[in-house]
Amino acid sequence: MNHRVNHILAAALAILTTAAGPAAGFASPSSAKQLAPGMFRLEIPFETAWSAMLDLLREEGWNIEKEDHTSGEILTAYKEYISGSMTETQLAKVAEVRPLGDGDWIRADLRYDIQIQLVEPRVTLVTIQAGFRALSRSFLGEQKWHSLPSLGKKEAELIFRLGRRLFGDRFELEGSAWDWLQIEPPAVPPEGRTNQPRTTSPQKP
C-alpha cells in the first residue's frame, strides 16, 4: 500500500487502541464502521476476516498475487473490469477518469490491495484500496496504460459482500458509507434464494 494509506492506517489504529469498545460508538457485531474511505472496522477475529476475505476473492475469480499472513496484506492480480465502447462511461462511475481529446478509453482493469489488521482479539480493521488501470488508444492507433484513482465505491462494495458472507442479510454498513459514496447499497437477495456474494462489475466478478 502507498505511504498515504499507511499513515491513515497508523492513525486509525492509534485511535482504535485508545478508544475501543462499545462506549466508543463503533460498529455492532453484524455491521462495519467506515472510519475513512476504504477503511472499515469489523467486530470479528483476525483469522475470521482473513479466511473469509480470501475465500470471497477466490470465489469471485480473483487471482492472488500476494498473501502475507504476517503483515495482513492480500494483493490480487489485475482483472478486466470493462472493455469496449462503454469503457469511459462505466469507468467514470468508479474511478477518476477524464475524456480523451485524441482517442478513446478501450479497456479498464481492476485489482484490490487489502490490509487486515488485528486491533483487539475480536476487533479487526480492514483497509481496501481498489486500483484501476485503463488502456487508451489514440486516433493514430497508439495504446497506453494509465493508473486511475478509485472513487471508493468498489472498496465499499467489497466490504459489503464480505459482511453479507459473514453475517447474512442482517449485515449493514455504518458511518453513512453509502451516503458518502452517493450510491445505493447492493440489492438484498430475495428470501429463500441462496445468499451468494454478488459483484457489480459490468462484465463479470
Side-chain angles (χ1 to χ4, degrees):
M1 289 197 164
N2 60 38
H3 294 300
R4 177 177 178 272
V5 173
N6 285 335
H7 287 319
I8 296 173
L9 180 60
L13 284 170
I15 294 171
L16 288 171
T17 302
T18 57
F26 287 123
S28 64
S30 60
S31 64
K33 175 76 173 181
Q34 180 168 264
L35 304 177
M39 186 179 295
F40 307 89
R41 181 186 192 270
L42 292 167
E43 291 194 3
I44 55 175
F46 170 88
E47 293 296 340
T48 301
W50 178 263
S51 298
M53 181 64 81
L54 283 173
D55 289 345
L56 174 61
L57 292 171
R58 287 173 175 141
E59 285 184 9
E60 294 185 350
W62 295 95
N63 292 323
I64 308 298
E65 281 195 351
K66 182 178 180 180
E67 180 183 336
D68 190 333
H69 186 271
T70 301
S71 68
E73 184 177 7
I74 301 171
L75 178 66
T76 73
Y78 278 105
K79 185 169 65 168
E80 183 177 320
Y81 179 72
I82 184 67
S83 62
S85 61
M86 295 298 292
T87 296
E88 182 178 331
T89 300
Q90 294 296 331
L91 187 58
K93 297 177 181 179
V94 294
E96 295 181 16
V97 60
R98 59 178 177 80
L100 296 173
D102 61 346
D104 299 300
W105 297 107
I106 60 174
R107 171 176 167 172
D109 296 347
L110 169 65
R111 81 187 310 176
Y112 288 110
D113 191 353
I114 302 163
Q115 193 82 30
I116 301 177
Q117 298 279 329
L118 175 68
V119 179
E120 294 180 2
R122 293 189 59 83
V123 178
T124 302
L125 188 67
V126 180
T127 305
I128 304 172
Q129 187 174 24
F132 287 94
R133 67 179 184 187
L135 182 63
S136 66
R137 183 170 60 199
S138 72
F139 296 140
L140 297 178
E142 181 183 1
Q143 296 188 5
K144 182 179 180 180
W145 285 101
H146 309 257
S147 295
L148 301 178
S150 169
L151 295 177
K153 296 181 180 180
K154 303 310 294 182
E155 291 88 336
E157 289 173 357
L158 181 59
I159 202 70
F160 187 82
R161 296 196 300 275
L162 177 68
R164 284 295 170 94
R165 179 185 184 89
L166 289 166
F167 303 109
D169 293 350
R170 60 195 176 96
F171 176 81
E172 60 184 17
L173 279 174
E174 295 183 359
S176 301
W178 301 119
D179 293 339
W180 177 79
L181 293 170
Q182 296 183 341
I183 57 176
E184 293 293 327
V188 176
E191 185 176 357
R193 183 181 299 177
T194 302
N195 185 29
Q196 295 292 332
R198 300 171 56 191
T199 68
T200 57
S201 177
Q203 290 190 348
K204 54 189 176 181

